[in-house]
Amino acid sequence: MAEGAAEAPAESGGGGDSGAGAPERGVAPIKPQYLTTKEQFHEFLEAKGQEKPSQEIKTGDPGSNDLAEPEAKRIRLEDGQTGEVAEAGEQPQAQKRARGQNKGRPHMKPTHYDKNRLCPSLVQDSAAKCFFGDRCRFLHDVGLYLETKPSDLGPRCVLFETFGRCPYGVTCRFAGAHLGPEGQNLVQEERVQAPPVRNGLDKALQQQLRKRKVRFERAEQALRQLSKGHVPGPSPEATVPEVSGAEGAPGQDSGDTQPAVPEPGAEALASGSVRTCGPLTDEDIVRLRPCEKRKLDISGKLYLAPLTTCGNLPFRRICKRFGADVTCGEMAVCTNLLQGQTSEWALLRRHPCEDIFGVQLEGAFPDTMTKCAELLNRTIEVDFVDINVGCPIDLVYKKGGGCALMNRAAKFQQIVRGMNQVLDVPLTVKIRTGVQERVNLAHRLLPELRDWGAALVTLHGRSREQRYTRLADWEYIAQCVAAASPMPLFGNGDVLSYEDANRAMQTGVAGVMIARGALLKPWLFTEIKEQRHWDISSSERMAILQDFTRYGLEHWGSDTQGVEKTRRFLLEWLSFLCRYVPVGLLERLPQRINERPPYYLGRDYLETLMASQKAADWIRISEMLLGPVPPNFVFLPKHKANAYK
């Protein structure tokens, strides 16, 4: 699992209720003139920075600082008893231990999107009538829709300016920029272009996946060899899944021209042949030998880790702009991909700026992983495929995936060998040091992974049990470099400055993967390449958020649903960005990744607002970029909702 989504920013680690004094362990060393108390910090923000907070500190119950916390959290103490004293004569009731899912948390999925929603046939200016007719649950009266539509959020539409046409028409929250006097959707013919994002899911392929009509002959042949104990090798009889229409070869843009599988009852193709469109190449009929596979030479490059939730395409574009060399999509579950789930295939999308891009797959069984690898090999454009063997969450681990594969050597071997057999691109693996805290397994697995055919391995210097309670063990990573040789080994863990990256490279690793460090400060890639500390201003950081918002509207859409989805992912990212401490405020450089900021007042109001760890202040920042939030809006970061426990 990606590091970014699994760790929660601590709210109390800073101990910020005390002003200047001796630096505490785990607290960022901030200059005394900037330190403040929790009360003064929030008083300053509530005053919107117009006046300095009073120097008086409210006295009374020391527990009053937690009044903003939920009731269930406020009354819960370490010993499991309530904070209230039972009345005389009453028997104190035993506190029931919370178990299972946290079903009391607010639901994140909004329900107001479907209210008074315009029919897609009208939004897309389709000449044909609505397929559902009178049974359609959406509105067909544009005038009625406009009466209930929220007001526009701004005068400029990102999609209209970028692509010459906004596909959302009157439903766009910036529709005033491209609606004519009679409500028609304007088009800039000279600027019209298709969105450049690649690796989309073809509707015909999705339908066949849902009906289980796709055949995986190469995967099935490799699985048969593995079941018999034979090491799979290249075979000239191996064929790709049967398709009709255009066949996209690896390395070809397949965003809108992906292969469609044959309709049921279609004439079967000759054995070993594929119906193609265009000139016939050797790659269409001759299976690549292992030595002919494309090589993955990324030694010395900066690798952005696959970050669940936060490592979306707009965020990767931000990191690419600041110097990330290699990017990888969010973890995708292979069974969901084989079922044709749109949300899972969206994790595979690639922007043209991502010149070295891979996707990460998670699964527990050789058959699904091998079939999924064959499917992706023929339908999307990637430079490598990564296997997630580092996910620590119970949801994945208890099903035998993620870290559990480190203890299932036989299945692990079949997955690696099977996927490597059906892929024309390099196969990489991401692992941890082990499962138990004091039982390291990586040094034993690395030579085997090299023999199984892995082109590169990334080692996160923590075990599953440790999570983020310990620092990454770079000494052990250095020992594993020799065990993996000559296979390149990337290291991962606790890199938040160029000094950290330099120390990591001294261990002999081929490169460094950056995860949480990129979430806290995406300009870390620039700092590493330029070997300097960047004292970035609050206005520059706000400009980064504005770029993320623009990229998000391009990616998720400019209608109400797209705007709120952009806001949600922006808030998820802000829950990590608040942990960054500006360079000019630190007594000692650099900030370490396990040091949480105490309460401090920044050099301006915006810098102080960005340091807040309250969701209400993150929402305030989102309103500066995306307008007011909808009624009854609730946000609870995933990593604060026990979603990964």
Side-chain angles (χ1 to χ4, degrees):
M1 173 64 85
E3 291 80 353
E7 192 232 1
E11 295 189 48
S12 59
D17 289 339
S18 61
E24 301 179 25
R25 183 179 180 183
V27 179
I30 295 180
K31 296 176 182 177
Q33 60 266 32
Y34 295 106
L35 292 174
T36 186
T37 63
K38 181 176 181 179
E39 293 83 358
Q40 289 178 321
F41 178 85
H42 293 300
E43 182 183 346
F44 179 81
L45 292 181
E46 290 173 1
K48 297 186 182 298
Q50 299 301 320
E51 56 184 7
K52 293 186 177 181
S54 62
Q55 298 299 322
E56 298 180 1
I57 302 177
K58 296 180 181 180
T59 58
D61 184 11
S64 61
N65 290 344
D66 295 328
L67 291 178
E69 298 291 350
E71 184 70 19
K73 183 176 179 181
R74 235 181 340 121
I75 64 175
R76 192 184 306 130
L77 300 179
E78 292 183 359
D79 58 358
Q81 302 297 323
T82 60
E84 300 176 358
V85 180
E87 296 182 3
E90 292 186 2
Q91 293 292 334
Q93 297 181 354
Q95 191 73 8
K96 198 171 183 179
R97 182 182 176 186
R99 300 180 64 88
Q101 297 178 348
N102 184 9
K103 296 184 179 180
R105 66 183 291 252
H107 291 283
M108 291 298 303
K109 187 175 181 180
T111 58
H112 61 274
Y113 293 150
D114 291 333
K115 295 180 180 179
N116 300 327
R117 185 174 175 182
L118 198 63
C119 180
S121 64
L122 297 177
V123 176
Q124 299 168 4
D125 297 330
S126 175
K129 293 183 179 181
C130 176
F131 176 78
F132 297 96
D134 297 336
R135 296 180 292 110
C136 182
R137 62 188 179 95
F138 299 123
L139 283 177
H140 287 77
D141 188 343
V142 177
L144 179 60
Y145 170 78
L146 291 176
E147 291 178 2
T148 58
K149 178 191 172 186
S151 59
D152 283 0
L153 298 176
R156 302 172 61 184
C157 176
V158 174
L159 293 172
F160 182 67
E161 293 180 352
T162 306
F163 306 115
R165 178 182 179 275
C166 178
Y168 296 94
V170 294
T171 64
C172 176
R173 296 300 302 276
F174 309 88
H178 50 78
L179 288 185
E182 299 180 359
Q184 72 275 22
N185 197 24
L186 302 179
V187 178
Q188 298 178 352
E189 299 291 348
E190 69 280 359
R191 302 182 59 183
V192 171
Q193 56 176 320
V197 175
R198 293 168 282 182
N199 296 351
L201 174 61
D202 184 79
K203 291 296 183 182
L205 175 62
Q206 182 182 40
Q207 185 180 19
Q208 295 301 314
L209 286 171
R210 289 175 174 176
K211 294 180 178 179
R212 299 185 179 180
K213 298 295 185 180
V214 180
R215 298 175 59 187
F216 303 96
E217 295 188 1
R218 279 168 49 187
E220 290 170 357
Q221 180 179 4
L223 291 169
R224 283 195 297 268
Q225 294 180 10
L226 288 170
S227 64
K228 295 177 181 178
H230 301 303
V231 176
S235 173
E237 291 81 14
T239 60
V240 298
E242 294 187 1
V243 298
S244 62
E247 174 69 20
Q252 178 183 349
D253 188 359
S254 55
D256 296 318
T257 59
Q258 294 180 353
V261 296
E263 293 293 332
E267 182 179 355
L269 298 175
S271 176
S273 64
V274 177
R275 188 177 301 162
T276 61
C277 179
L280 189 66
T281 63
D282 290 343
E283 196 169 311
D284 293 324
I285 57 177
V286 179
R287 172 72 179 144
L288 290 177
R289 293 180 297 171
C291 62
E292 295 175 330
K293 277 192 176 183
R294 273 185 281 171
K295 301 298 181 183
L296 185 64
D297 185 13
I298 59 174
S299 297
K301 296 185 182 295
L302 297 178
Y303 187 168
L304 174 64
L307 301 165
T308 301
T309 304
C310 292
N312 45 68
L313 186 143
F315 176 76
R316 299 198 303 268
R317 290 181 65 180
I318 294 290
C319 293
K320 282 296 296 183
R321 203 183 71 190
F322 283 111
D325 298 312
V326 184
T327 55
C328 186
E330 302 174 63
M331 181 190 77
V333 181
C334 66
T335 52
N336 296 342
L337 294 174
L338 291 172
Q339 293 169 4
Q341 293 187 13
T342 304
S343 59
E344 208 72 18
W345 277 81
L347 305 177
L348 311 179
R349 293 192 174 181
R350 174 182 189 174
H351 193 269
C353 70
E354 299 180 275
D355 48 352
I356 306 177
F357 174 76
V359 295
Q360 187 182 68
L361 298 181
E362 182 278 323
F365 302 101
D367 57 341
T368 54
M369 289 288 281
T370 306
K371 291 178 180 179
C372 186
E374 182 181 1
L375 176 65
L376 299 186
N377 189 64
R378 305 305 301 182
T379 56
I380 67 172
E381 177 189 350
V382 293
D383 298 297
F384 63 93
V385 174
D386 186 71
I387 304 176
N388 186 319
V389 194
C391 182
I393 67 172
D394 288 345
L395 184 66
V396 173
Y397 180 81
K398 290 182 177 180
K399 293 181 180 180
C403 282
L405 284 175
M406 300 186 71
N407 284 331
R408 303 170 67 215
K411 295 293 184 185
F412 193 9
Q413 177 182 4
Q414 291 179 345
I415 289 174
V416 175
R417 289 191 183 276
M419 293 180 66
N420 192 48
Q421 168 65 12
V422 300
L423 284 172
D424 293 334
V425 295
L427 180 68
T428 66
V429 183
K430 186 172 187 293
I431 63 175
R432 287 179 177 257
T433 59
V435 178
Q436 284 78 27
E437 185 169 355
R438 294 180 177 84
V439 183
N440 291 330
L441 302 174
H443 63 284
R444 298 205 305 265
L445 284 174
L446 286 170
E448 295 180 342
L449 286 169
R450 179 188 60 211
D451 298 336
W452 297 343
L456 180 145
V457 174
T458 302
L459 176 58
H460 183 188
R462 294 182 179 87
S463 66
R464 175 182 182 266
E465 285 186 353
Q466 286 174 341
R467 295 292 180 95
Y468 291 94
T469 61
R470 301 285 188 273
L471 293 175
D473 190 351
W474 280 94
E475 293 183 0
Y476 179 67
I477 294 177
Q479 299 173 13
C480 290
V481 171
S485 181
M487 179 182 64
L489 179 70
F490 267 58
N492 170 229
D494 299 342
V495 176
L496 191 60
S497 65
Y498 75 88
E499 289 103 325
D500 295 334
N502 293 344
R503 283 192 293 269
M505 292 300 296
Q506 291 173 3
T507 61
V509 293
V512 177
M513 175 183 279
I514 300 174
R516 290 182 300 161
L519 291 173
L520 269 62
K521 49 186 226 183
W523 54 93
L524 173 60
F525 301 98
T526 301
E527 291 187 350
I528 294 175
K529 290 189 173 181
E530 298 181 0
Q531 294 288 292
R532 67 181 178 95
H533 294 292
W534 185 355
D535 190 7
I536 190 169
S537 65
S538 60
S539 59
E540 289 175 307
R541 293 164 64 191
M542 180 59 80
I544 296 173
L545 298 179
Q546 290 173 342
D547 291 338
F548 177 87
T549 302
R550 187 173 69 255
Y551 298 157
L553 294 175
E554 287 183 23
H555 184 58
W556 292 300
S558 58
D559 60 344
T560 300
Q561 186 171 359
V563 169
E564 295 311 315
K565 188 171 289 188
T566 301
R567 189 193 306 274
R568 175 208 161 193
F569 285 106
L570 173 64
L571 292 172
E572 292 282 357
W573 186 22
L574 286 171
S575 67
F576 287 94
L577 280 173
C578 65
R579 287 178 46 188
Y580 169 73
V581 180
V583 171
L585 275 60
L586 290 170
E587 280 190 326
R588 166 188 52 77
L589 294 177
Q591 177 188 1
R592 298 191 177 97
I593 204 165
N594 63 327
E595 293 178 340
R596 309 304 172 93
Y599 288 100
Y600 66 90
L601 297 180
R603 292 165 290 190
D604 54 47
Y605 169 71
L606 189 56
E607 194 168 72
T608 306
L609 181 63
M610 289 181 173
S612 175
Q613 297 182 9
K614 287 181 61 177
D617 292 323
W618 306 336
I619 294 175
R620 189 186 306 179
I621 295 174
S622 78
E623 290 180 324
M624 297 179 183
L625 301 166
L626 291 167
V629 298
N632 303 322
F633 180 84
V634 177
F635 173 72
L636 184 64
K638 282 189 174 182
H639 52 253
K640 288 190 176 183
N642 295 329
Y644 299 109
K645 294 182 181 178

